[in-house]
């Protein structure tokens, strides 16, 4: 009998609702999605804390980047979600469950929020939703969250969502805009057996 965690089948493409948000898979064929993805990667605050291996500078780059995320889902190693408000479907940001190892049942989480959506706990709420899905639906045991040293907002988001700080990884990510120099990373992680995130309770649906 094949162990379910060794399966290389594609991941489900769900729509996740909760905490006033709607998470759904990105669509590389939808112009609204492509433009939101492009704006996210061109945002100076994103570029300050992240260095993609391939620059994303126009809509073609954005489509190729999104297609790579869709391929990761088909191969069972990643799931990427467009974060929107629960009612109007307005794009707010992105969250992904990345580098999924189905044997040891561990993955990495990453997110970004568009400038106009900041200050509303979008990343916190999206992280809580995506984490619950990864534990309950994918059967993962450990989720890791790493961010560049000095990114205090990500530290607060991680702690608020039940991802305690575990240590500093030396030279574990590229410096902003560079592929030849490195910077340190704060590592946070959460286990499936940890207490749930300490957020305001979700409203009861009528």
């Amino acid at each position: 009998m094949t162990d379910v965690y060794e399966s290389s089948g594609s991941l489900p493409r769900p729509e996740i609702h909760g905490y006033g948000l709607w998470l759904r898979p990105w669509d590389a064929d939808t112009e609204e999605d492509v433009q939101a993805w492009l704006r996210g990667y061109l945002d100076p605050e994103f570029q300050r804390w992240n260095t993609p291996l391939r620059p994303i500078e126009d809509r073609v780059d954005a489509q190729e980047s999104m297609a790579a995320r869709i391929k990761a889902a088909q191969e069972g190693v990643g799931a990427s979600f467009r974060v929107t408000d629960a009612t109007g479907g307005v794009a707010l940001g992105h969250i992904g469950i990345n580098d999924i190892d189905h044997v040891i049942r561990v993955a990495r989480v990453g997110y970004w929020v568009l400038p106009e959506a900041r200050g509303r706990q979008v990343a916190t709420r999206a992280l809580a939703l995506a984490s619950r899905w990864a534990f309950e639906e994918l059967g993962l045991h450990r989720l890791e969250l790493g961010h560049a040293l000095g990114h205090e907002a990500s530290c607060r988001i991680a702690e608020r969502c039940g991802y305690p700080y575990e240590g500093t990884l030396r030279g574990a990510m590229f410096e902003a805009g560079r592929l030849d120099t490195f910077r340190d990373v704060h590592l946070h992680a959460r286990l499936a057996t940890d207490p749930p995130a300490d957020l305001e309770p979700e409203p009861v649906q009528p």
Side-chain angles (χ1 to χ4, degrees):
M1 181 176 178
T2 303
D3 189 323
V4 65
Y5 299 114
E6 294 181 359
S7 172
S8 59
S10 63
L11 295 182
R13 290 171 58 82
E15 295 188 3
I16 306 171
H17 298 267
Y19 298 118
L21 297 178
W22 171 27
L23 276 56
R24 67 158 175 81
W26 290 92
D27 184 351
D29 295 323
T30 300
E31 187 64 21
E32 183 181 1
D33 281 22
V34 173
Q35 291 301 324
W37 187 269
L38 180 59
R39 286 202 301 121
Y41 276 81
L42 292 179
D43 174 51
E45 189 69 8
F46 172 88
Q47 295 181 354
R48 177 185 178 190
W49 300 113
N50 302 275
T51 306
L53 293 178
R54 293 182 59 185
I56 299 175
E57 299 175 343
D58 55 34
R59 68 180 306 278
V60 173
D61 294 338
Q63 282 186 305
E64 291 178 351
S65 175
M66 295 170 72
R69 298 298 184 106
I70 293 170
K71 181 181 178 183
Q74 293 170 342
E75 295 176 348
V77 296
S80 297
F81 297 98
R82 181 184 194 261
V83 181
T84 75
D85 68 283
T87 54
V90 176
L92 304 175
H94 157 81
I95 190 159
I97 308 296
N98 311 310
D99 302 328
I100 299 173
D101 185 329
H102 291 280
V103 177
I104 198 168
R105 296 159 58 188
V106 64
R108 298 178 180 177
V109 296
Y111 51 81
W112 47 259
V113 176
L114 291 170
E116 65 271 20
R118 291 178 187 144
R120 296 160 49 187
Q121 296 194 353
V122 170
T124 301
R125 293 181 285 146
L127 179 57
L129 284 175
S131 300
R132 184 170 65 192
W133 176 79
F135 288 136
E136 295 180 357
E137 301 300 325
L138 300 185
L140 297 181
H141 172 66
R142 175 179 167 90
L143 295 175
E144 297 181 347
L145 189 162
H147 63 79
L149 189 67
H151 196 345
E152 299 301 329
S154 270
C155 252
R156 292 191 297 270
I157 291 165
E159 296 283 353
R160 196 177 297 131
C161 282
Y163 285 72
Y165 168 70
E166 292 191 341
T168 299
L169 307 179
R170 296 178 300 153
M173 70 181 297
F174 289 121
E175 284 282 2
R178 303 284 297 272
L179 298 179
D180 58 350
T181 57
F182 300 85
R183 53 182 163 177
D184 294 349
V185 169
H186 265 188
L187 176 64
H188 299 256
R190 181 176 166 189
L191 304 182
T193 51
D194 287 341
D198 185 20
L199 302 182
E200 291 293 325
E202 297 185 60
V204 177
Q205 299 296 326

